[in-house]
């Protein structure tokens, strides 16, 4: 029992250490950036409240913090124009339980959807040749890595 508990504790610690070491894609933050983020969170109340609800301080006591900035809403005319366009093109869910749009159920009643031109065979072959040359292709295993990442010496630098 004690060995199992020790192994479990070790596994949790290893996992949390790995998560702690994982870095932001933008790189590590400076001390000043972290300090500025903390000061902004304190000012706006975007910090967890000291209770078990999981709410933020600005949710528990909204009058103590500045109101959140609300994105501008669409005007009534904009909404009506979008609705008219959706009715015209059939981009409205049908009333049945299929989950399809009206233009999918009855395509002849609505204008055809614009067709995006496909790539030519030559364009696809050129892209494949470039991917082979640069190693920008998935490795033939379950790692999810690209060939250039697994074998950097075989491919040109970016």
């Amino acid at each position: 029992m004690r060995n199992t508990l020790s192994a479990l504790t070790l596994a949790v610690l290893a996992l949390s250490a790995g998560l702690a070491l994982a870095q932001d894609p933008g790189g590590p933050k400076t001390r000043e950036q972290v300090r500025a983020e903390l000061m902004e969170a304190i000012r706006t109340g975007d910090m967890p409240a000291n209770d078990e609800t999981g709410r933020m301080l600005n949710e528990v006591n909204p009058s103590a913090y500045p109101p959140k900035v609300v994105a501008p809403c669409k005007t009534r005319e904009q909404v009506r124009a979008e609705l008219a366009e959706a009715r015209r093109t059939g981009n409205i869910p049908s009333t049945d339980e299929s989950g399809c749009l009206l233009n999918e159920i009855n395509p002849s009643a609505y204008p055809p959807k614009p067709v995006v031109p496909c790539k030519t065979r030559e364009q696809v072959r050129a892209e494949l040749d470039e991917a082979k040359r640069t190693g920008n292709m998935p490795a033939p295993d379950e790692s999810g890595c690209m060939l250039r990442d697994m074998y950097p010496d075989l491919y040109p630098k970016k």
Side-chain angles (χ1 to χ4, degrees):
M1 176 71 176
R2 183 175 178 165
N3 287 342
T4 304
L5 186 58
S6 296
L8 182 61
T9 304
L10 185 61
V12 169
L13 288 175
L15 179 62
S16 62
L19 292 175
L21 294 175
Q23 291 186 356
D24 231 27
K29 294 180 183 178
T30 65
R31 184 179 186 96
E32 277 64 41
Q33 287 173 322
V34 172
R35 190 171 278 163
E37 286 179 7
L38 175 62
M39 296 308 293
E40 181 65 13
I42 291 171
R43 185 186 74 76
T44 61
D46 282 335
M47 298 178 65
N50 193 17
D51 59 12
E52 296 176 3
T53 63
R55 296 185 301 170
M56 298 298 217
L57 288 173
N58 57 14
E59 295 170 340
V60 173
N61 190 5
S63 62
Y65 301 99
K68 290 187 178 185
V69 178
V70 179
C73 298
K74 295 179 182 178
T75 65
R76 184 173 185 88
E77 291 75 29
Q78 288 172 323
V79 172
R80 284 188 173 180
E82 286 181 8
L83 177 61
E85 179 64 14
R87 283 182 177 154
R88 186 186 73 74
T89 60
N91 282 334
I92 297 178
S94 67
T95 56
D96 61 8
E97 296 177 2
S98 68
C100 295
L101 299 176
L102 291 176
N103 60 12
E104 295 170 339
I105 293 173
N106 189 5
S108 62
Y110 301 99
K113 292 181 181 179
V115 178
V116 179
C118 298
K119 294 179 182 179
T120 65
R121 185 175 186 90
E122 291 75 31
Q123 289 171 323
V124 173
R125 283 190 173 172
E127 285 181 8
L128 177 60
D129 290 340
E130 179 66 12
K132 285 179 181 177
R133 186 185 71 75
T134 61
N136 194 19
M137 298 178 66
D141 58 12
E142 296 177 6
S143 67
C145 295
M146 299 300 236
L147 286 173
R148 69 171 182 265
D149 297 330
M150 292 184 75
Y151 309 106
D153 296 337
L154 298 178
Y155 301 101
K157 301 287 184 219
K158 293 181 182 179

